């Protein structure tokens, strides 16, 4: 049983609240499916390496499609990570995106979909990295797992404490801008993990493509929570 199936089985019996991750009204708001694989020939290496040009591309897509957010990325093979040496590892570079990205405006409020506690947080301040990051710990019907929120604003880390209780639907952060979020167009990296070992304030959001099968055993599809929290249109990304 993979991680997605395991978490789905526990959520099926869960009696608690599943809250939103971002503000979204499916009656009026739209999502744009953003493909960041090599199949998207509108993007080239030069554009992706230029944060301003990359941001303009995403904003153009949002405007043209009249969408509130662009979304996608779970287990997506992204050659664009060549923009940063942060993803270069010996033998095989990391190119497999392990979470879901929700692209929107800086300052966008971010919420926890489930009750939990603050496991850890830190500013991963490197080019191409997460920037400010929060990891929450949850328990669903006896299953402990973790949710990660990357590319936040620095102010999001002020006043946090390890072990602090978080309610379902409670705002925990805002999206950072490119000067503070690892030099990316504003977006949330949202990722679920069953086990994070001794990691604190950081956990890989991009892995080696050759290790996809291993990652699928530990990293559930975030669509499980995003669909339940109101991003119903996310279903076309289910793997």
């Amino acid at each position: 049983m993979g991680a997605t199936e395991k978490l789905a089985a526990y959520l099926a019996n869960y009696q608690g609240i599943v809250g939103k991750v971002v503000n979204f009204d499916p009656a009026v708001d739209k999502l744009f499916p953003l493909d960041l694989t090599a199949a998207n020939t509108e993007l080239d290496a030069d554009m992706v390496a230029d944060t301003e040009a990359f941001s303009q591309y995403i904003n153009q897509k949002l405007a043209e499609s009249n969408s509130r957010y662009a979304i996608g990325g779970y287990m997506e093979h992204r050659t664009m990570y060549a923009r940063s040496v942060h993803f270069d590892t010996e033998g095989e570079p990391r190119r497999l995106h392990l979470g879901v990205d929700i692209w929107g405006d800086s300052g966008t409020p971010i919420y926890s979909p489930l009750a939990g506690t603050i496991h850890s947080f830190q500013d991963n301040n490197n080019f191409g990295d997460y920037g400010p990051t929060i990891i929450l710990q949850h328990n669903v019907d006896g299953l402990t797992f973790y949710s990660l929120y990357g590319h936040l604003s620095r102010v999001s880390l002020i006043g946090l404490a390890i072990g602090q209780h978080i309610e379902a639907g409670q705002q925990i952060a805002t999206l950072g801008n490119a000067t503070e979020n690892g030099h990316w167009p504003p977006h949330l990296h949202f990722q679920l993990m069953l086990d994070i070992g001794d990691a604190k304030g950081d956990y890989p959001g991009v892995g080696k493509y050759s290790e996809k099968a291993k990652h699928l055993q530990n990293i559930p599809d975030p669509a499980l929570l995003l669909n339940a929290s109101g991003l119903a249109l996310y279903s076309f990304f289910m793997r």
Side-chain angles (χ1 to χ4, degrees), residues 112-124:
S112 172
L114 296 169
T117 59
I118 294 179
H119 172 271
S120 53
F121 55 93
Q122 70 180 25
D123 188 353
N124 299 289

Side-chain angles (χ1 to χ4, degrees), residues 51-161:
T51 303
E52 183 175 352
F54 193 9
S55 298
Q56 290 175 353
Y57 170 81
I58 292 173
N59 290 338
Q60 179 183 349
K61 291 301 179 184
L62 290 174
E64 289 175 349
S65 62
N66 194 29
S67 298
R68 186 165 188 177
Y69 307 106
I71 190 170
Y74 176 65
M75 296 296 163
E76 189 173 72
H77 187 210
R78 295 177 171 179
T79 56
M80 73 173 199
Y81 289 120
R83 79 191 292 263
S84 171
V85 296
H86 179 67
F87 303 103
D88 291 341
T89 49
E90 186 175 352
E92 178 188 352
R94 293 185 293 136
R95 299 291 186 262
L96 182 68
H97 190 253
L98 303 178
V100 161
D101 288 332
I102 303 175
W103 307 80
D105 295 332
S106 62
T108 295
I110 303 301
Y111 306 86
S112 172
L114 296 169
T117 59
I118 294 179
H119 172 271
S120 53
F121 55 93
Q122 70 180 25
D123 188 353
N124 299 289
N125 186 21
N126 304 294
F127 182 84
D129 209 336
Y130 285 133
T133 308
I134 298 173
I135 297 177
L136 302 182
Q137 181 173 320
H138 310 280
N139 187 286
V140 169
D141 200 37
L143 176 69
T144 297
F145 70 101
Y146 305 84
S147 59
L148 181 149
Y149 310 79
H151 308 298
L152 308 176
S153 62
R154 289 205 171 98
V155 70
S156 300
L157 303 185
I158 296 175
L160 299 186

